[in-house]
PDB file of all heavy atoms in Angstrom:
ATOM      1  N   HIS A  85       7.668 -45.274  45.645  1.00  0.00           N
ATOM      2  CA  HIS A  85       8.012 -45.860  44.347  1.00  0.00           C
ATOM      3  C   HIS A  85       6.934 -46.795  43.812  1.00  0.00           C
ATOM      4  O   HIS A  85       7.104 -47.351  42.740  1.00  0.00           O
ATOM      5  CB  HIS A  85       9.350 -46.607  44.379  1.00  0.00           C
ATOM      6  CG  HIS A  85      10.466 -45.821  44.992  1.00  0.00           C
ATOM      7  ND1 HIS A  85      10.912 -44.628  44.487  1.00  0.00           N
ATOM      8  CD2 HIS A  85      11.225 -46.080  46.098  1.00  0.00           C
ATOM      9  CE1 HIS A  85      11.903 -44.158  45.248  1.00  0.00           C
ATOM     10  NE2 HIS A  85      12.109 -45.035  46.252  1.00  0.00           N
ATOM     11  N   SER A  86       5.845 -47.006  44.560  1.00  0.00           N
ATOM     12  CA  SER A  86       4.775 -47.851  44.048  1.00  0.00           C
ATOM     13  C   SER A  86       3.906 -47.018  43.110  1.00  0.00           C
ATOM     14  O   SER A  86       3.595 -45.859  43.387  1.00  0.00           O
ATOM     15  CB  SER A  86       3.925 -48.396  45.197  1.00  0.00           C
ATOM     16  OG  SER A  86       2.821 -49.107  44.674  1.00  0.00           O
ATOM     17  N   HIS A  87       3.510 -47.615  41.972  1.00  0.00           N
ATOM     18  CA  HIS A  87       2.712 -46.890  40.965  1.00  0.00           C
ATOM     19  C   HIS A  87       1.227 -47.111  41.133  1.00  0.00           C
ATOM     20  O   HIS A  87       0.437 -46.611  40.349  1.00  0.00           O
ATOM     21  CB  HIS A  87       3.135 -47.326  39.563  1.00  0.00           C
ATOM     22  CG  HIS A  87       4.577 -46.994  39.268  1.00  0.00           C
ATOM     23  ND1 HIS A  87       5.051 -45.715  39.160  1.00  0.00           N
ATOM     24  CD2 HIS A  87       5.633 -47.824  39.092  1.00  0.00           C
ATOM     25  CE1 HIS A  87       6.356 -45.734  38.911  1.00  0.00           C
ATOM     26  NE2 HIS A  87       6.737 -47.013  38.880  1.00  0.00           N
ATOM     27  N   SER A  88       0.808 -47.882  42.169  1.00  0.00           N
ATOM     28  CA  SER A  88      -0.610 -48.160  42.363  1.00  0.00           C
ATOM     29  C   SER A  88      -1.305 -46.942  42.968  1.00  0.00           C
ATOM     30  O   SER A  88      -0.942 -46.485  44.052  1.00  0.00           O
ATOM     31  CB  SER A  88      -0.789 -49.381  43.288  1.00  0.00           C
ATOM     32  OG  SER A  88      -2.149 -49.600  43.549  1.00  0.00           O
ATOM     33  N   LYS A  89      -2.292 -46.409  42.238  1.00  0.00           N
ATOM     34  CA  LYS A  89      -3.063 -45.248  42.715  1.00  0.00           C
ATOM     35  C   LYS A  89      -4.535 -45.602  42.911  1.00  0.00           C
ATOM     36  O   LYS A  89      -5.351 -44.720  43.132  1.00  0.00           O
ATOM     37  CB  LYS A  89      -2.956 -44.102  41.703  1.00  0.00           C
ATOM     38  CG  LYS A  89      -1.530 -43.675  41.388  1.00  0.00           C
ATOM     39  CD  LYS A  89      -0.813 -43.133  42.611  1.00  0.00           C
ATOM     40  CE  LYS A  89       0.604 -42.687  42.276  1.00  0.00           C
ATOM     41  NZ  LYS A  89       1.352 -42.224  43.477  1.00  0.00           N
ATOM     42  N   ALA A  90      -4.879 -46.895  42.823  1.00  0.00           N
ATOM     43  CA  ALA A  90      -6.277 -47.314  42.917  1.00  0.00           C
ATOM     44  C   ALA A  90      -6.829 -46.983  44.292  1.00  0.00           C
ATOM     45  O   ALA A  90      -6.169 -47.207  45.312  1.00  0.00           O
ATOM     46  CB  ALA A  90      -6.395 -48.810  42.658  1.00  0.00           C
ATOM     47  N   PRO A  91      -8.041 -46.411  44.348  1.00  0.00           N
ATOM     48  CA  PRO A  91      -8.653 -46.142  45.656  1.00  0.00           C
ATOM     49  C   PRO A  91      -8.933 -47.460  46.404  1.00  0.00           C
ATOM     50  O   PRO A  91      -9.395 -48.438  45.810  1.00  0.00           O
ATOM     51  CB  PRO A  91      -9.937 -45.402  45.306  1.00  0.00           C
ATOM     52  CG  PRO A  91     -10.216 -45.747  43.888  1.00  0.00           C
ATOM     53  CD  PRO A  91      -8.907 -45.998  43.222  1.00  0.00           C
ATOM     54  N   ILE A  92      -8.654 -47.472  47.702  1.00  0.00           N
ATOM     55  CA  ILE A  92      -8.827 -48.665  48.549  1.00  0.00           C
ATOM     56  C   ILE A  92      -9.866 -48.343  49.617  1.00  0.00           C
ATOM     57  O   ILE A  92      -9.733 -47.350  50.353  1.00  0.00           O
ATOM     58  CB  ILE A  92      -7.491 -49.082  49.182  1.00  0.00           C
ATOM     59  CG1 ILE A  92      -6.491 -49.474  48.080  1.00  0.00           C
ATOM     60  CG2 ILE A  92      -7.701 -50.239  50.154  1.00  0.00           C
ATOM     61  CD1 ILE A  92      -5.096 -49.800  48.593  1.00  0.00           C
ATOM     62  N   ILE A  93     -10.902 -49.211  49.680  1.00  0.00           N
ATOM     63  CA  ILE A  93     -11.910 -49.092  50.742  1.00  0.00           C
ATOM     64  C   ILE A  93     -11.569 -50.125  51.815  1.00  0.00           C
ATOM     65  O   ILE A  93     -11.570 -51.333  51.563  1.00  0.00           O
ATOM     66  CB  ILE A  93     -13.327 -49.330  50.181  1.00  0.00           C
ATOM     67  CG1 ILE A  93     -13.640 -48.253  49.118  1.00  0.00           C
ATOM     68  CG2 ILE A  93     -14.376 -49.286  51.295  1.00  0.00           C
ATOM     69  CD1 ILE A  93     -14.968 -48.448  48.431  1.00  0.00           C
ATOM     70  N   PHE A  94     -11.264 -49.653  53.021  1.00  0.00           N
ATOM     71  CA  PHE A  94     -10.779 -50.501  54.115  1.00  0.00           C
ATOM     72  C   PHE A  94     -11.974 -50.978  54.951  1.00  0.00           C
ATOM     73  O   PHE A  94     -12.793 -50.152  55.390  1.00  0.00           O
ATOM     74  CB  PHE A  94      -9.816 -49.690  54.989  1.00  0.00           C
ATOM     75  CG  PHE A  94      -8.962 -50.503  55.891  1.00  0.00           C
ATOM     76  CD1 PHE A  94      -7.829 -51.144  55.425  1.00  0.00           C
ATOM     77  CD2 PHE A  94      -9.288 -50.633  57.236  1.00  0.00           C
ATOM     78  CE1 PHE A  94      -7.033 -51.895  56.267  1.00  0.00           C
ATOM     79  CE2 PHE A  94      -8.500 -51.389  58.091  1.00  0.00           C
ATOM     80  CZ  PHE A  94      -7.360 -52.023  57.608  1.00  0.00           C
ATOM     81  N   LEU A  95     -12.092 -52.319  55.161  1.00  0.00           N
ATOM     82  CA  LEU A  95     -13.210 -52.918  55.881  1.00  0.00           C
ATOM     83  C   LEU A  95     -12.701 -53.679  57.114  1.00  0.00           C
ATOM     84  O   LEU A  95     -11.656 -54.345  57.052  1.00  0.00           O
ATOM     85  CB  LEU A  95     -13.982 -53.885  54.979  1.00  0.00           C
ATOM     86  CG  LEU A  95     -14.498 -53.311  53.642  1.00  0.00           C
ATOM     87  CD1 LEU A  95     -15.102 -54.418  52.806  1.00  0.00           C
ATOM     88  CD2 LEU A  95     -15.510 -52.212  53.899  1.00  0.00           C
ATOM     89  N   THR A  96     -13.453 -53.559  58.194  1.00  0.00           N
ATOM     90  CA  THR A  96     -13.086 -54.292  59.411  1.00  0.00           C
ATOM     91  C   THR A  96     -14.343 -54.665  60.186  1.00  0.00           C
ATOM     92  O   THR A  96     -15.386 -54.034  60.040  1.00  0.00           O
ATOM     93  CB  THR A  96     -12.163 -53.454  60.308  1.00  0.00           C
ATOM     94  OG1 THR A  96     -11.815 -54.204  61.482  1.00  0.00           O
ATOM     95  CG2 THR A  96     -12.822 -52.154  60.723  1.00  0.00           C
ATOM     96  N   GLY A  97     -14.182 -55.722  60.977  1.00  0.00           N
ATOM     97  CA  GLY A  97     -15.315 -56.154  61.799  1.00  0.00           C
ATOM     98  C   GLY A  97     -15.312 -55.513  63.155  1.00  0.00           C
ATOM     99  O   GLY A  97     -16.193 -55.784  63.985  1.00  0.00           O
ATOM    100  N   TYR A  98     -14.346 -54.634  63.418  1.00  0.00           N
ATOM    101  CA  TYR A  98     -14.227 -53.996  64.735  1.00  0.00           C
ATOM    102  C   TYR A  98     -14.327 -52.479  64.575  1.00  0.00           C
ATOM    103  O   TYR A  98     -13.760 -51.911  63.647  1.00  0.00           O
ATOM    104  CB  TYR A  98     -12.885 -54.348  65.389  1.00  0.00           C
ATOM    105  CG  TYR A  98     -12.608 -55.848  65.405  1.00  0.00           C
ATOM    106  CD1 TYR A  98     -11.822 -56.438  64.425  1.00  0.00           C
ATOM    107  CD2 TYR A  98     -13.166 -56.644  66.396  1.00  0.00           C
ATOM    108  CE1 TYR A  98     -11.592 -57.806  64.454  1.00  0.00           C
ATOM    109  CE2 TYR A  98     -12.921 -58.022  66.420  1.00  0.00           C
ATOM    110  CZ  TYR A  98     -12.136 -58.606  65.451  1.00  0.00           C
ATOM    111  OH  TYR A  98     -11.896 -59.935  65.455  1.00  0.00           O
ATOM    112  N   GLY A  99     -15.017 -51.835  65.463  1.00  0.00           N
ATOM    113  CA  GLY A  99     -15.169 -50.384  65.421  1.00  0.00           C
ATOM    114  C   GLY A  99     -14.069 -49.683  66.165  1.00  0.00           C
ATOM    115  O   GLY A  99     -14.308 -49.121  67.235  1.00  0.00           O
ATOM    116  N   ASN A 100     -12.872 -49.736  65.622  1.00  0.00           N
ATOM    117  CA  ASN A 100     -11.692 -49.156  66.276  1.00  0.00           C
ATOM    118  C   ASN A 100     -11.321 -47.868  65.543  1.00  0.00           C
ATOM    119  O   ASN A 100     -10.823 -47.903  64.419  1.00  0.00           O
ATOM    120  CB  ASN A 100     -10.545 -50.147  66.252  1.00  0.00           C
ATOM    121  CG  ASN A 100      -9.369 -49.693  67.103  1.00  0.00           C
ATOM    122  OD1 ASN A 100      -9.104 -48.502  67.212  1.00  0.00           O
ATOM    123  ND2 ASN A 100      -8.647 -50.656  67.682  1.00  0.00           N
ATOM    124  N   GLU A 101     -11.589 -46.698  66.178  1.00  0.00           N
ATOM    125  CA  GLU A 101     -11.324 -45.410  65.535  1.00  0.00           C
ATOM    126  C   GLU A 101      -9.844 -45.191  65.295  1.00  0.00           C
ATOM    127  O   GLU A 101      -9.440 -44.623  64.288  1.00  0.00           O
ATOM    128  CB  GLU A 101     -11.879 -44.269  66.401  1.00  0.00           C
ATOM    129  CG  GLU A 101     -13.385 -44.263  66.539  1.00  0.00           C
ATOM    130  CD  GLU A 101     -14.065 -44.041  65.208  1.00  0.00           C
ATOM    131  OE1 GLU A 101     -13.477 -43.364  64.315  1.00  0.00           O
ATOM    132  OE2 GLU A 101     -15.187 -44.539  65.013  1.00  0.00           O
ATOM    133  N   GLU A 102      -9.016 -45.647  66.229  1.00  0.00           N
ATOM    134  CA  GLU A 102      -7.565 -45.462  66.076  1.00  0.00           C
ATOM    135  C   GLU A 102      -7.053 -46.241  64.870  1.00  0.00           C
ATOM    136  O   GLU A 102      -6.237 -45.745  64.099  1.00  0.00           O
ATOM    137  CB  GLU A 102      -6.868 -45.923  67.350  1.00  0.00           C
ATOM    138  CG  GLU A 102      -5.357 -45.713  67.291  1.00  0.00           C
ATOM    139  CD  GLU A 102      -4.683 -46.157  68.589  1.00  0.00           C
ATOM    140  OE1 GLU A 102      -5.388 -46.435  69.580  1.00  0.00           O
ATOM    141  OE2 GLU A 102      -3.435 -46.216  68.584  1.00  0.00           O
ATOM    142  N   ARG A 103      -7.604 -47.453  64.687  1.00  0.00           N
ATOM    143  CA  ARG A 103      -7.170 -48.268  63.552  1.00  0.00           C
ATOM    144  C   ARG A 103      -7.674 -47.662  62.234  1.00  0.00           C
ATOM    145  O   ARG A 103      -6.994 -47.688  61.226  1.00  0.00           O
ATOM    146  CB  ARG A 103      -7.707 -49.689  63.733  1.00  0.00           C
ATOM    147  CG  ARG A 103      -7.018 -50.701  62.815  1.00  0.00           C
ATOM    148  CD  ARG A 103      -7.363 -52.116  63.239  1.00  0.00           C
ATOM    149  NE  ARG A 103      -6.634 -53.094  62.444  1.00  0.00           N
ATOM    150  CZ  ARG A 103      -5.367 -53.451  62.652  1.00  0.00           C
ATOM    151  NH1 ARG A 103      -4.692 -52.883  63.646  1.00  0.00           N
ATOM    152  NH2 ARG A 103      -4.766 -54.348  61.887  1.00  0.00           N
ATOM    153  N   ALA A 104      -8.868 -47.081  62.304  1.00  0.00           N
ATOM    154  CA  ALA A 104      -9.418 -46.429  61.093  1.00  0.00           C
ATOM    155  C   ALA A 104      -8.535 -45.260  60.671  1.00  0.00           C
ATOM    156  O   ALA A 104      -8.226 -45.069  59.494  1.00  0.00           O
ATOM    157  CB  ALA A 104     -10.838 -45.956  61.356  1.00  0.00           C
ATOM    158  N   ALA A 105      -8.129 -44.427  61.648  1.00  0.00           N
ATOM    159  CA  ALA A 105      -7.264 -43.287  61.330  1.00  0.00           C
ATOM    160  C   ALA A 105      -5.931 -43.755  60.772  1.00  0.00           C
ATOM    161  O   ALA A 105      -5.379 -43.149  59.833  1.00  0.00           O
ATOM    162  CB  ALA A 105      -7.053 -42.436  62.581  1.00  0.00           C
ATOM    163  N   HIS A 106      -5.409 -44.864  61.323  1.00  0.00           N
ATOM    164  CA  HIS A 106      -4.147 -45.413  60.828  1.00  0.00           C
ATOM    165  C   HIS A 106      -4.289 -45.872  59.378  1.00  0.00           C
ATOM    166  O   HIS A 106      -3.402 -45.678  58.548  1.00  0.00           O
ATOM    167  CB  HIS A 106      -3.711 -46.572  61.734  1.00  0.00           C
ATOM    168  CG  HIS A 106      -2.307 -47.011  61.478  1.00  0.00           C
ATOM    169  ND1 HIS A 106      -1.731 -48.111  62.093  1.00  0.00           N
ATOM    170  CD2 HIS A 106      -1.337 -46.513  60.672  1.00  0.00           C
ATOM    171  CE1 HIS A 106      -0.494 -48.262  61.660  1.00  0.00           C
ATOM    172  NE2 HIS A 106      -0.235 -47.280  60.798  1.00  0.00           N
ATOM    173  N   ALA A 107      -5.442 -46.482  59.067  1.00  0.00           N
ATOM    174  CA  ALA A 107      -5.676 -46.951  57.698  1.00  0.00           C
ATOM    175  C   ALA A 107      -5.734 -45.781  56.703  1.00  0.00           C
ATOM    176  O   ALA A 107      -5.186 -45.842  55.596  1.00  0.00           O
ATOM    177  CB  ALA A 107      -6.965 -47.761  57.651  1.00  0.00           C
ATOM    178  N   ILE A 108      -6.432 -44.728  57.109  1.00  0.00           N
ATOM    179  CA  ILE A 108      -6.526 -43.553  56.235  1.00  0.00           C
ATOM    180  C   ILE A 108      -5.145 -42.940  56.014  1.00  0.00           C
ATOM    181  O   ILE A 108      -4.779 -42.560  54.889  1.00  0.00           O
ATOM    182  CB  ILE A 108      -7.496 -42.505  56.820  1.00  0.00           C
ATOM    183  CG1 ILE A 108      -8.921 -43.083  56.903  1.00  0.00           C
ATOM    184  CG2 ILE A 108      -7.477 -41.225  56.002  1.00  0.00           C
ATOM    185  CD1 ILE A 108      -9.521 -43.450  55.582  1.00  0.00           C
TER     186      ILE A 108
END
Side-chain angles (χ1 to χ4, degrees):
H85 311 299
S86 174
H87 298 294
S88 176
K89 304 297 181 183
I92 297 175
I93 298 176
F94 196 80
L95 305 174
T96 181
Y98 309 97
N100 189 327
E101 295 296 331
E102 182 179 349
R103 195 168 184 80
H106 192 186
I108 297 297

